[in-house]
Amino acid sequence: MLSQVVQNALNDQINYELTSSYAYLSMSAYCELQNFRGCAKWLKIQSEEEYTHGMKLYNFMLARNCKVELREIGKQPTDYGSIVGVFEKALEQETSVTRRIEELYELAFKERAFAELVQLQWFITEQVEEERTARDVVAKFQMVKDDPSAMLDLDRELGSRTPGADEGDAAAE
Ligand code: MG
């Protein structure tokens, strides 16, 4: 049986992923109201991805015969100051998720929770990608910030995002 301390930490991680989903949704709403519909679409897809991350752990907990505890999700900001501010916040969020995944991995290692270590490896790889993507978007917005037509191009580029094929099956696992 999985130790209580690892179960607690996994339930915490479900909460972080779902909170992250909620945060991206709020960012999406902000962008939509600023008429950056491409950014809004990108962020909504990101929100859906975070939901699948939460569900991956949710399904994993149940497969391990553990109790899922859904915790409180806090109120989200409604104003991010600017479009680049949204993505700076997103990057900050991703680096904090990475830190939490690493702490969880360390705990699972100490507790000799081998199946959990294997499951968490997926999240470690995923976070490398998530951070890189957020960092790229921030860098692009910082580059174009005083050029409205370049901003619109970037918005269009982000709007071409489609839900990732590798994410689609996560919630169903
Ligand atoms: Mg995630």
Side-chain angles (χ1 to χ4, degrees), residues 4 6 29 98 135 152 157:
Q4 196 55 51
V6 174
T98 300
R135 209 179 302 117
L152 291 176
E157 183 191 324

Side-chain angles (χ1 to χ4, degrees), residues 17 20 50 53 94 97 123 127 130:
E17 300 291 347
S20 188
E50 297 302 340
H53 297 169
E94 289 305 336
V97 169
F123 283 85
Q127 280 312 117
E130 297 283 58

Side-chain angles (χ1 to χ4, degrees), residues 29-111:
Y30 172 84
C31 290
E32 181 91 32
L33 287 181
Q34 305 290 316
N35 292 312
F36 280 88
R37 299 230 160 81
C39 293
K41 183 185 168 197
W42 192 95
L43 290 158
K44 202 186 271 178
I45 291 172
Q46 190 62 29
S47 170
E48 286 161 5
E49 266 198 16
E50 297 302 340
Y51 174 78
T52 68
H53 297 169
M55 289 309 289
K56 223 182 215 312
L57 292 170
Y58 170 100
N59 289 327
F60 181 70
M61 288 285 280
L62 294 176
R64 299 283 282 142
N65 205 28
C66 296
K67 194 189 280 179
V68 169
E69 287 175 6
L70 295 179
R71 293 169 182 162
E72 202 170 341
I73 294 176
K75 186 178 169 197
Q76 299 303 310
T78 53
D79 191 1
Y80 296 87
S82 64
I83 299 297
V84 68
V86 168
F87 288 95
E88 282 166 353
K89 185 80 189 160
L91 177 57
E92 204 178 283
Q93 185 171 291
E94 289 305 336
T95 53
S96 113
V97 169
T98 300
R99 209 164 42 240
R100 282 166 168 159
I101 294 281
E102 285 169 354
E103 283 165 8
L104 184 51
Y105 192 85
E106 189 180 8
L107 179 70
F109 185 78
K110 280 186 189 146
E111 295 286 318

